Amino acid sequence: MTGRWVIIATDRSKRPSDFVRERVQIRGTSFCPFCYHHEAKTPPEIMAYRPDGSPRNSPGWTLRVVPNKFPALGIEGILGRQGEGLYDKMNGIGAHEVIIETPDHNLTLAGMPASQIEDVLWAYRDRIVDLTRDRRFKYILIFKNHGDAAGASLEHTHSQLIALPVVPKRVLEELEGAKSYYGYKERCVFCDMIQQELESRTRVVAENDGFLAVAPFAPRFPFELWILPKSHQSAFEDSRKDEFEQLASILKDMLMRIDKVLDLPAYNFIVHTSPTPDTENDYYHWHFEIMPKLTKVAGFEWGTGFYINPTPPEEAAKFLREAVV
Ligand SMILES: [Zn+2]
Ligand SMILES: [Zn+2]
Ligand SMILES: [Zn+2]
C-alpha cells in the first residue's frame, strides 16, 4: 500500500515479557482540569453529552469536547498560502480539540463499558461532521495518546482531534498507494487484504459481524494492530448505529487484550479516514491503527523509514488471540 519495508528481526524475537517499560497506572495525585467541577479550567466546551440536561460548562456531562488549551493550530484567520522563493508557507490554521471520554478520572478507555466507548465514537463522528463544513480543512485526524511514554500530558482519559488545512503525508502515502492499486485492479486494496487475512487467519486477532482486528503483514511496531470494517467504507463518519456498536465492542476487546498481554502498556491509536472533500470513494477504506509503545524509534528508522520490529505479526496475533480477558 505505502511501499514501506520493515525488518522483522526474528533472531532477536521478543515475547511480551521481554519488553521492559513502565506500566500505565492512574495516580490521581495532581490537579485535573478534566474532572467534574473543574470545567472552568478548560476553554468553554464545544459540545457535551449531558443526559440530565445540565447547563454548559458545569458538571453532569458524560463526555465533553473542548478546544485544546495549547493548540498546535489556531482556528481563526485565513490560510494565506504563498511562496517564498522556491519554498511555500501558510498560516497555522486548524482546529485542535480534546475529547474527554468520561468524567471518571480512574477509568481507562479499555475499562469503560462498551456503551460508553460507543459514545466516544459518536463524539468523533459528530465533530468530524461539524468540522467538514469548514472548507479550509482538508483532513481531520482523530488520535489518542495513552500514557506518558505515548505522549499523554494528562492522565485523565481523552482523545484528540486535529483538523488540518492539508492532507498529511502519512495519509497521502496510503491514499496514493490505494489509488494506484485501484487503478490497476479496480478493487480496494484494503478489501483485498481483509479477504486474504480472513482466509489465512494467521494474523487475525478477532472479528465480529462488521469488523476485523488484524496484525498487519508489515507492522512497524511489535503488536501493532489494525481494526477495519469488513465491508467497504471510505469514511469513518458515515458508519451506522449498529456499526458503532460493533466497533466499540471490538475496540474494547483489543485494548483489554493489549493491557493483558503487554501488562498495561502506553499506546497510541489513530483513525485513518478519507480526506474531507472526497469522503465517498471506492479505493480508500477507513481503519484504526493501534500502536503499543514498546520500542524506541532511533537513528536507523529516522534515516531510512525502515522499522525494525522484533515481534513477527503472526506471533503477536497469536498472543493477543489467546489472551483470556
Ligand atoms: Zn481527572
Ligand atoms: Zn475497501
Ligand atoms: Zn492507515
Side-chain angles (χ1 to χ4, degrees), residues 94-158:
H96 191 169
E97 303 180 356
V98 179
I99 297 112
I100 308 167
E101 298 154 1
T102 168
D104 188 340
H105 190 94
N106 296 309
L107 274 180
T108 61
L109 191 60
M112 283 163 47
S115 61
Q116 218 175 330
I117 298 178
E118 193 191 325
D119 275 357
V120 173
L121 300 172
W122 279 110
Y124 295 171
R125 181 230 164 240
D126 290 349
R127 292 311 303 142
I128 292 175
V129 167
D130 185 37
L131 285 161
T132 300
R133 291 192 207 113
D134 190 324
R135 303 302 290 270
R136 296 171 304 169
F137 301 145
K138 300 282 189 294
Y139 199 79
I140 298 163
L141 180 76
I142 302 275
F143 63 99
K144 179 173 174 70
N145 305 333
H146 173 75
D148 214 21
S153 46
L154 288 167
E155 67 177 11
H156 192 128
T157 187
H158 64 282

Side-chain angles (χ1 to χ4, degrees), residues 16-54:
S17 55
D18 296 337
F19 296 103
V20 182
R21 79 228 119 65
E22 233 179 287
R23 312 166 82 193
V24 178
Q25 278 168 317
I26 296 169
R27 298 198 164 78
T29 43
S30 50
F31 175 83
C32 176
F34 294 170
C35 278
Y36 269 6
H37 306 291
H38 298 166
E39 286 80 5
K41 299 292 176 190
T42 66
E45 71 196 35
I46 296 165
M47 177 192 102
Y49 295 156
R50 295 180 175 277
D52 65 350
S54 49

Side-chain angles (χ1 to χ4, degrees), residues 46-68:
I46 296 165
M47 177 192 102
Y49 295 156
R50 295 180 175 277
D52 65 350
S54 49
R56 292 166 66 85
N57 302 307
S58 74
W61 50 277
T62 55
L63 177 147
R64 193 164 180 254
V65 182
V66 299
N68 192 307

Side-chain angles (χ1 to χ4, degrees), residues 191-211:
C191 286
D192 277 8
M193 185 189 100
I194 289 164
Q195 203 179 358
Q196 184 172 325
E197 293 299 339
L198 281 170
E199 275 162 26
S200 86
R201 303 209 77 86
T202 51
R203 285 172 295 272
V204 170
V205 178
E207 61 174 312
N208 59 25
D209 279 354
F211 292 87

